[in-house]
Amino acid sequence: MQKRSKKMKRYTKLASTLLASMFVVAGLSSCGGGSGSKDTLEIVYYSAGFNETWINTLANKFEQTHEGIKVHIAASYSSEQIISQHLASRNNPDDLYISTGNSWKSNAATGKFADLTDFLNDEVDGVTVKDKVNDEYADSFYFTKSDGSKATYRLPFTSGIGGIFYNKKMFEENGWDTWLKNTYSTNTTGVPETYDQLIALCDKIIEKPVAVPGDPDGTAAVKPFIYAGTDTDYFDYTVFDWWGQIAGKEAIKDFLKYDSPDNFNVTKNETYNALKTATSKWNNIFGSNTGYYVEGQNTTTAANAQKSFVNGYAAMMFNGDWLYNETLNYTQTGTFENFELGLMKTPVLSEAKAGSESTSYVIGEDQYIAIPASSSKKELAQEFIKLMISQEGNEIFINQAHGFLAYKADYSAMNVEDTYMQRAIALRSSYDTKFTNFSNDRKFLTNSVDIWSSAANRPFLSILNGQKKLDQAFTDISTYVAANWTTWTNNSK
């Protein structure tokens, strides 16, 4: 899934939000709801890495069980712009949104999304919708109102996994898998299981160069890594895994309350210092003069970098689980002569906290399923959601989107023939602890503060560009927070 929105929208003051909500909903209701056909369920869908095949299949099944109803899907990479425009219209035709971006927070706050709190008690596969949601999202889909009560205006969409992807065929053909097993008696997988093994493999690839298959000049050697151009948020998915290993889930949950500017000061906050340590592990690979990665990728796109990965210029790549679908788009047959995608479990750091070695950061907090308050077909939209999150819907998504919905399912009962997805299911299940980057206890829901203080302060690109060193990047984050804390606090009252 290509570049995601990372910036949060500003909330209105909560006291006035409820009043604004009443005016917005009342205004939309006076228009008679959406302007779409009464027999058509209108869905706006964010079309990117997970493709449109799965949702088209789901729509066909829904039409078969709902006589006289048609499902129209407006699938677009620009879904957020479409949603924003339609929500601002007096005649919004939409009935359901499946999209990505933090705009759901401001849309919930201003009454533009329907309240789904009662819907959580509806049943799917013999359990409530609330209990169907994966545990890592148990609290993150609630919105806390000014009276302290909680309401739900959005449900999660996917529960993705990211990390270090590798060319399985390249590992086998060059004997790297066998070398790892023979060199490290505890290694059973043939991929790096610890960070030290990962660095050792990087050194081996550099010390004994392998020619890039089909390189036009015949001079290029395979590098350990390639990265996704300026989409450096892809590095989060591994760095946050390492952060979880060092700090533990509960410490990160406490950090996400954002209750003090000192949270972002590595000399005062142990949890944030753990993030710096995790980032330093990334820096050991992608810092200057390591020789571990294909250079010049900071000016290219994620798609071009992924194509270079598929074409054998690197053995590994930091990415998200939509990569599988996107690599399939690079060939008409779905197979490659010199490439087979694999995803390794994030290698364990020597600094990992006991009991936190198998921790995984879940991708998807900024994704959502929501119903516009203006829809006249809310119950029909809810029925579509229930089909989507059911065992059947999960199986369709696994097989056609090659990803994971944010809902519990029995994978062992599914017919999954794709070997990559079989391995992905096993790998995802092997993580003992999963966490997201959202906490319902967070203090500053009214601004764009995030783990890096803001998306613009994510350190990876500035380090890759040579603009900053690691220490300076974290000093700048602390300085930025200190300078903006009073404003953020005032805007939260």
Side-chain angles (χ1 to χ4, degrees):
M1 191 175 291
Q2 299 295 332
K3 189 70 174 180
R4 301 164 184 251
S5 172
K6 294 289 179 181
K7 294 183 178 178
M8 298 180 183
K9 304 294 184 183
R10 289 188 174 271
Y11 279 94
T12 56
K13 186 176 178 181
L14 283 179
S16 60
T17 289
L18 297 178
L19 183 61
S21 173
M22 290 188 290
F23 281 110
V24 172
V25 175
L28 290 170
S29 298
S30 68
C31 300
S35 61
S37 167
K38 66 178 181 178
D39 299 324
T40 301
L41 185 69
E42 297 284 350
I43 301 175
V44 178
Y45 166 62
Y46 176 64
S47 179
F50 293 124
N51 71 40
E52 301 162 25
T53 305
W54 73 274
I55 196 169
N56 289 332
T57 298
L58 209 65
N60 290 334
K61 288 186 174 293
F62 189 80
E63 290 177 349
Q64 292 170 13
T65 56
H66 293 76
E67 186 176 355
I69 297 297
K70 295 294 181 183
V71 178
H72 175 253
I73 299 169
S76 173
Y77 185 74
S78 302
S79 61
E80 281 296 271
Q81 290 94 315
I82 294 172
I83 291 170
S84 177
Q85 291 169 1
H86 286 189
L87 287 175
S89 169
R90 289 180 57 85
N91 294 292
N92 181 10
D94 305 329
D95 302 301
L96 182 61
Y97 298 135
I98 305 171
S99 190
T100 183
N102 284 306
S103 62
W104 73 266
K105 300 182 181 76
S106 56
N107 288 328
T110 53
K112 294 178 181 178
F113 283 170
D115 190 336
L116 301 176
T117 309
D118 291 340
F119 176 59
L120 295 178
N121 296 316
D122 281 18
E123 287 197 357
V124 179
D125 298 336
V127 299
T128 63
V129 171
K130 178 181 178 181
D131 290 336
K132 190 76 173 173
V133 176
N134 280 354
D135 292 340
E136 62 268 17
Y137 284 107
D139 296 319
S140 70
F141 55 85
Y142 287 107
F143 181 88
T144 302
K145 297 191 288 187
S146 59
D147 61 2
S149 64
K150 296 180 180 180
T152 296
Y153 296 94
R154 128 325 183 163
L155 292 171
F157 173 24
T158 69
S159 180
I161 55 173
I164 301 176
F165 292 79
Y166 68 101
N167 186 337
K168 188 173 183 292
K169 187 170 290 187
M170 184 179 285
F171 269 58
E172 294 170 351
E173 291 178 347
N174 292 288
W176 299 332
D177 55 345
T178 303
W179 175 80
L180 284 164
K181 291 178 181 179
N182 291 341
T183 304
Y184 302 96
S185 59
T186 58
N187 189 301
T188 60
T189 60
V191 296
E193 296 178 353
T194 68
Y195 181 80
D196 290 342
Q197 292 177 18
L198 177 64
I199 296 300
L201 176 61
C202 290
D203 288 334
K204 183 175 181 61
I205 293 172
I206 295 299
E207 290 167 2
K208 295 185 178 180
V210 174
V212 174
D215 174 54
D217 299 327
T219 58
V222 173
K223 293 287 188 178
F225 281 98
I226 195 167
Y227 63 90
T230 56
D231 289 335
T232 54
D233 53 310
Y234 289 11
F235 289 127
D236 281 355
Y237 315 142
T238 300
V239 171
F240 288 172
D241 278 6
W242 285 331
W243 187 27
Q245 289 179 16
I246 301 170
K249 177 180 177 180
E250 291 307 312
I252 292 175
K253 182 178 180 181
D254 187 62
F255 168 83
L256 292 172
K257 296 176 183 179
Y258 300 134
D259 56 6
S260 169
D262 288 343
N263 276 23
F264 294 87
N265 188 324
V266 296
T267 66
K268 297 180 179 181
N269 186 281
E270 184 179 352
T271 303
Y272 209 64
N273 191 50
L275 178 59
K276 183 180 179 182
T277 300
T279 308
S280 74
K281 302 301 180 179
W282 168 88
N283 193 54
N284 290 343
I285 297 171
F286 291 95
S288 60
N289 302 319
T290 65
Y292 287 159
Y293 59 94
V294 179
E295 295 185 2
Q297 289 301 309
N298 57 327
T299 58
T300 191
T301 64
N304 286 338
Q306 289 168 180
K307 289 177 183 178
S308 294
F309 178 44
V310 167
N311 288 325
Y313 284 85
M316 295 172 283
M317 186 178 196
F318 287 59
N319 216 306
D321 55 2
W322 53 84
L323 175 62
Y324 184 49
N325 265 9
E326 293 182 350
T327 57
L328 293 178
N329 290 334
Y330 302 145
T331 174
Q332 294 184 2
T333 63
T335 59
F336 300 87
E337 182 179 351
N338 299 300
F339 182 84
E340 181 182 354
L341 187 66
L343 172 60
M344 68 180 71
K345 191 170 184 176
T346 300
V348 179
L349 301 177
S350 60
E351 296 90 345
K353 180 181 178 181
S356 296
E357 299 92 341
S358 185
T359 300
S360 176
Y361 166 71
V362 171
I363 306 171
E365 182 276 321
D366 59 345
Q367 300 174 22
Y368 64 90
I369 303 169
I371 297 173
S374 57
S375 172
S376 61
K377 298 185 281 291
K378 294 183 181 68
E379 291 185 2
L380 197 64
Q382 290 174 359
E383 289 299 311
F384 189 90
I385 293 173
K386 288 195 284 187
L387 173 61
M388 176 179 168
I389 69 177
S390 69
Q391 175 75 11
E392 182 180 20
N394 272 274
E395 184 169 353
I396 289 171
F397 197 80
I398 282 281
N399 284 312
Q400 297 183 8
H402 304 111
F404 297 89
L405 291 175
Y407 300 88
K408 296 169 185 171
D410 182 359
Y411 298 117
S412 66
M414 294 181 181
N415 179 25
V416 181
E417 296 182 354
D418 186 288
T419 55
Y420 169 81
M421 286 309 303
Q422 290 172 354
R423 295 194 302 266
I425 290 170
L427 185 145
R428 191 179 190 281
S429 300
S430 72
Y431 282 108
D432 299 326
T433 305
K434 302 180 183 72
F435 72 97
T436 71
N437 62 330
F438 180 86
S439 169
N440 198 52
D441 295 326
R442 69 194 304 171
K443 182 177 181 180
F444 295 112
L445 284 173
T446 60
N447 54 67
S448 60
V449 63
D450 69 4
I451 288 171
W452 300 112
S453 72
S454 78
N457 281 329
R458 180 178 285 105
F460 308 122
L461 186 59
S462 61
I463 292 174
L464 286 165
N465 286 337
Q467 296 173 340
K468 294 180 183 179
K469 299 292 186 181
L470 181 66
D471 288 342
Q472 185 61 51
F474 275 83
T475 297
D476 288 350
I477 288 172
S478 180
T479 301
Y480 177 80
V481 171
N484 288 278
W485 196 260
T486 299
T487 301
W488 294 342
T489 302
N490 291 338
N491 288 339
S492 300
K493 293 178 181 178

